[in-house]
Amino acid sequence: MKPDKITSCKDPATRALANATTRGYAASDDNWSKYLEDALDNVKFRKIKDLYERHSAGEEIGFGPGAERVKDAFDHIAATVKARNGDARTADSLLRTTRIHIRFGMLNNCTADHKNPVGAVCLENAIVPEGHVGPLDERCRPDRCANSMIGPEHLPIYDSHQRTQLQLINNPSMPTCRRDLAERELDITRNVLKMAGEPR
Protein backbone atom coordinates (compact mmCIF):
# COMPACT_ATOMS: atom_id res chain seq x y z
CA MET A 1 0.00 0.00 0.00
CA LYS A 2 1.36 3.39 -0.98
CA PRO A 3 -0.23 6.59 0.34
CA ASP A 4 -1.17 9.25 -2.21
CA LYS A 5 -0.06 12.12 -0.02
CA ILE A 6 2.33 12.53 2.85
CA THR A 7 -0.55 13.97 4.90
CA SER A 8 -2.12 10.51 4.95
CA CYS A 9 0.55 9.66 7.55
CA LYS A 10 -0.64 12.40 9.88
CA ASP A 11 -2.38 10.23 12.49
CA PRO A 12 0.30 7.53 12.82
CA ALA A 13 2.97 10.24 12.71
CA THR A 14 1.42 12.12 15.59
CA ARG A 15 1.04 8.95 17.63
CA ALA A 16 4.55 7.84 16.78
CA LEU A 17 6.05 10.96 18.33
CA ALA A 18 4.79 9.68 21.67
CA ASN A 19 5.21 6.00 20.82
CA ALA A 20 8.25 5.24 18.72
CA THR A 21 7.22 1.58 18.30
CA THR A 22 4.93 2.63 15.45
CA ARG A 23 8.07 2.93 13.33
CA GLY A 24 8.75 -0.76 13.84
CA TYR A 25 5.28 -1.75 12.64
CA ALA A 26 5.75 0.11 9.37
CA ALA A 27 9.36 -0.92 8.81
CA SER A 28 8.47 -4.09 6.88
CA ASP A 29 7.47 -1.98 3.86
CA ASP A 30 10.40 0.22 2.81
CA ASN A 31 8.24 2.71 0.90
CA TRP A 32 5.72 3.09 3.70
CA SER A 33 8.53 3.34 6.23
CA LYS A 34 10.07 6.22 4.27
CA TYR A 35 6.73 8.05 4.05
CA LEU A 36 6.19 7.58 7.76
CA GLU A 37 9.70 8.79 8.58
CA ASP A 38 9.17 11.91 6.45
CA ALA A 39 5.80 12.54 8.09
CA LEU A 40 7.35 12.17 11.54
CA ASP A 41 10.08 14.64 10.64
CA ASN A 42 7.50 17.14 9.38
CA VAL A 43 5.31 16.84 12.48
CA LYS A 44 8.33 17.16 14.74
CA PHE A 45 9.61 20.20 12.83
CA ARG A 46 6.21 21.91 13.14
CA LYS A 47 6.24 21.29 16.90
CA ILE A 48 9.80 22.63 17.24
CA LYS A 49 8.92 25.65 15.08
CA ASP A 50 5.90 26.33 17.30
CA LEU A 51 8.14 26.17 20.40
CA TYR A 52 10.61 28.55 18.74
CA GLU A 53 7.85 31.04 17.88
CA ARG A 54 6.40 30.87 21.39
CA HIS A 55 9.86 31.36 22.91
CA SER A 56 10.53 34.29 20.57
CA ALA A 57 7.23 35.83 21.71
CA GLY A 58 8.39 35.64 25.33
CA GLU A 59 6.18 32.70 26.33
CA GLU A 60 7.41 30.00 28.70
CA ILE A 61 8.07 26.80 26.76
CA GLY A 62 9.46 24.55 29.46
CA PHE A 63 11.32 23.91 32.66
CA GLY A 64 14.33 21.83 33.63
CA PRO A 65 17.84 21.35 32.24
CA GLY A 66 16.62 20.04 28.89
CA ALA A 67 14.40 23.09 28.44
CA GLU A 68 17.31 25.42 29.17
CA ARG A 69 19.38 23.80 26.40
CA VAL A 70 16.50 24.17 23.95
CA LYS A 71 16.04 27.83 24.92
CA ASP A 72 19.78 28.46 24.46
CA ALA A 73 19.61 26.88 20.98
CA PHE A 74 16.60 29.06 20.10
CA ASP A 75 18.36 32.21 21.39
CA HIS A 76 21.39 31.36 19.24
CA ILE A 77 19.18 30.91 16.18
CA ALA A 78 17.40 34.22 16.86
CA ALA A 79 20.75 36.00 17.22
CA THR A 80 22.01 34.46 13.98
CA VAL A 81 18.85 35.49 12.12
CA LYS A 82 19.25 39.04 13.42
CA ALA A 83 22.96 39.17 12.51
CA ARG A 84 22.16 38.05 8.95
CA ASN A 85 19.21 40.47 8.66
CA GLY A 86 17.21 37.33 7.98
CA ASP A 87 13.51 36.61 8.04
CA ALA A 88 11.21 33.70 8.94
CA ARG A 89 12.63 31.65 6.08
CA THR A 90 16.14 32.05 7.52
CA ALA A 91 14.86 30.97 10.93
CA ASP A 92 13.17 27.91 9.39
CA SER A 93 16.38 26.94 7.65
CA LEU A 94 18.38 27.27 10.86
CA LEU A 95 15.77 25.32 12.82
CA ARG A 96 16.06 22.47 10.31
CA THR A 97 19.86 22.37 10.40
CA THR A 98 20.50 23.01 14.11
CA ARG A 99 20.78 19.82 16.16
CA ILE A 100 17.75 20.20 18.41
CA HIS A 101 16.74 16.87 19.92
CA ILE A 102 13.23 16.74 21.34
CA ARG A 103 11.06 13.66 21.76
CA PHE A 104 7.62 14.93 22.67
CA GLY A 105 5.99 12.85 25.39
CA MET A 106 2.96 12.71 27.64
CA LEU A 107 4.83 13.35 30.92
CA ASN A 108 7.80 15.35 29.64
CA ASN A 109 9.84 16.05 26.53
CA CYS A 110 13.14 14.19 26.24
CA THR A 111 16.00 16.23 24.79
CA ALA A 112 18.55 13.39 24.74
CA ASP A 113 20.42 12.76 21.52
CA HIS A 114 19.32 9.21 20.70
CA LYS A 115 22.70 8.47 19.15
CA ASN A 116 24.58 9.76 22.21
CA PRO A 117 22.19 9.99 25.19
CA VAL A 118 24.67 11.50 27.66
CA GLY A 119 23.19 12.03 31.11
CA ALA A 120 20.10 9.90 30.47
CA VAL A 121 19.07 8.66 33.91
CA CYS A 122 16.94 5.94 32.29
CA LEU A 123 20.12 4.22 31.12
CA GLU A 124 21.78 4.12 34.55
CA ASN A 125 22.28 0.50 35.64
CA ALA A 126 19.97 -0.58 32.83
CA ILE A 127 20.08 -3.66 30.65
CA VAL A 128 19.68 -2.17 27.19
CA PRO A 129 17.95 -4.51 24.73
CA GLU A 130 20.06 -5.57 21.76
CA GLY A 131 19.64 -3.16 18.87
CA HIS A 132 17.98 -0.45 21.00
CA VAL A 133 19.14 3.12 20.35
CA GLY A 134 18.47 6.04 22.66
CA PRO A 135 16.76 6.41 26.03
CA LEU A 136 14.52 3.78 27.63
CA ASP A 137 11.15 5.49 27.87
CA GLU A 138 9.71 3.15 30.48
CA ARG A 139 12.52 4.09 32.92
CA CYS A 140 12.15 7.85 32.46
CA ARG A 141 12.71 10.01 35.55
CA PRO A 142 11.53 13.50 34.55
CA ASP A 143 12.44 14.89 37.98
CA ARG A 144 16.11 13.79 37.87
CA CYS A 145 17.26 13.62 34.26
CA ALA A 146 19.49 16.26 32.69
CA ASN A 147 17.58 15.74 29.43
CA SER A 148 14.14 16.40 30.88
CA MET A 149 12.01 19.26 29.58
CA ILE A 150 8.75 19.78 31.45
CA GLY A 151 6.39 21.78 29.26
CA PRO A 152 3.51 23.92 30.56
CA GLU A 153 1.19 21.32 29.01
CA HIS A 154 2.56 18.67 31.38
CA LEU A 155 1.88 20.57 34.62
CA PRO A 156 -1.87 19.80 34.92
CA ILE A 157 -1.05 16.08 34.74
CA TYR A 158 1.46 16.36 37.59
CA ASP A 159 -0.89 18.56 39.61
CA SER A 160 -3.65 15.96 39.27
CA HIS A 161 -1.24 13.12 40.09
CA GLN A 162 -0.13 14.95 43.23
CA ARG A 163 -3.72 15.22 44.47
CA THR A 164 -4.34 11.53 43.75
CA GLN A 165 -1.25 10.42 45.67
CA LEU A 166 -2.19 12.62 48.65
CA GLN A 167 -5.64 11.01 48.74
CA LEU A 168 -4.04 7.56 48.79
CA ILE A 169 -1.55 8.53 51.51
CA ASN A 170 -4.29 10.05 53.68
CA ASN A 171 -6.57 7.02 53.34
CA PRO A 172 -6.29 5.19 56.71
CA SER A 173 -7.29 1.87 55.15
CA MET A 174 -4.50 1.99 52.59
CA PRO A 175 -1.99 -0.90 52.97
CA THR A 176 1.49 0.21 54.04
CA CYS A 177 3.17 -1.04 50.87
CA ARG A 178 0.70 0.92 48.70
CA ARG A 179 1.16 4.03 50.86
CA ASP A 180 4.95 3.74 50.50
CA LEU A 181 4.57 3.61 46.71
CA ALA A 182 2.28 6.65 46.77
CA GLU A 183 4.83 8.56 48.84
CA ARG A 184 7.57 7.79 46.31
CA GLU A 185 5.28 8.90 43.48
CA LEU A 186 4.44 12.05 45.42
CA ASP A 187 8.15 12.88 45.85
CA ILE A 188 8.75 12.57 42.10
CA THR A 189 5.68 14.67 41.32
CA ARG A 190 6.62 17.39 43.81
CA ASN A 191 10.15 17.53 42.42
CA VAL A 192 8.76 18.08 38.92
CA LEU A 193 6.40 20.81 40.12
CA LYS A 194 9.24 22.43 42.07
CA MET A 195 11.35 22.40 38.89
CA ALA A 196 8.57 24.38 37.24
CA GLY A 197 8.26 26.78 40.16
CA GLU A 198 4.75 25.54 40.95
CA PRO A 199 3.37 25.75 44.49
CA ARG A 200 3.15 22.34 46.15
Side-chain angles (χ1 to χ4, degrees):
M1 182 174 75
K2 188 172 181 180
D4 294 331
K5 296 181 180 178
I6 197 71
T7 53
S8 63
C9 299
K10 183 178 179 183
D11 290 338
T14 302
R15 287 194 302 272
L17 284 173
N19 183 3
T21 58
T22 305
R23 297 177 190 222
Y25 295 138
S28 58
D29 182 327
D30 290 340
N31 289 334
W32 178 253
S33 182
K34 179 70 171 87
Y35 281 113
L36 180 60
E37 196 69 34
D38 290 346
L40 283 168
D41 289 343
N42 288 333
V43 170
K44 183 176 177 181
F45 176 74
R46 285 196 302 272
K47 285 178 168 283
I48 289 175
K49 183 178 177 181
D50 177 61
L51 282 179
Y52 174 78
E53 289 171 350
R54 285 167 45 203
H55 179 66
S56 298
E59 295 179 33
E60 183 57 74
I61 61 168
F63 311 93
E68 294 309 312
R69 285 201 308 277
V70 171
K71 292 174 189 177
D72 288 345
F74 286 168
D75 289 342
H76 181 73
I77 288 170
T80 304
V81 170
K82 185 176 180 180
R84 294 181 183 178
N85 293 319
D87 55 11
R89 187 175 299 172
T90 307
D92 282 4
S93 177
L94 289 168
L95 280 170
R96 286 192 185 276
T97 56
T98 302
R99 292 175 61 86
I100 299 174
H101 302 282
I102 305 178
R103 180 189 177 279
F104 296 93
M106 183 66 71
L107 299 179
N108 76 330
N109 299 325
C110 178
T111 63
D113 179 352
H114 282 207
K115 294 179 182 175
N116 185 26
V118 175
V121 172
C122 62
L123 296 176
E124 290 179 1
N125 304 313
I127 298 173
V128 180
E130 186 176 348
H132 179 82
V133 176
L136 295 168
D137 301 330
E138 69 278 5
R139 299 186 79 231
C140 182
R141 282 296 304 267
D143 61 321
R144 289 183 47 221
C145 189
N147 297 305
S148 183
M149 176 179 179
I150 305 297
E153 68 277 12
H154 299 122
L155 297 180
I157 296 170
Y158 283 101
D159 184 58
S160 174
H161 192 58
Q162 176 179 233
R163 290 194 303 272
T164 300
Q165 301 315 305
L166 284 170
Q167 287 174 355
L168 292 172
I169 291 166
N170 293 326
N171 182 348
S173 64
M174 188 61 56
T176 303
C177 60
R178 184 63 185 92
R179 184 176 289 109
D180 290 345
L181 178 61
E183 287 175 352
R184 286 197 299 272
E185 285 288 315
L186 181 61
D187 284 344
I188 292 170
T189 302
R190 284 182 163 172
N191 287 338
V192 169
L193 292 172
K194 182 179 179 182
M195 184 189 303
E198 291 285 300
R200 296 180 293 159

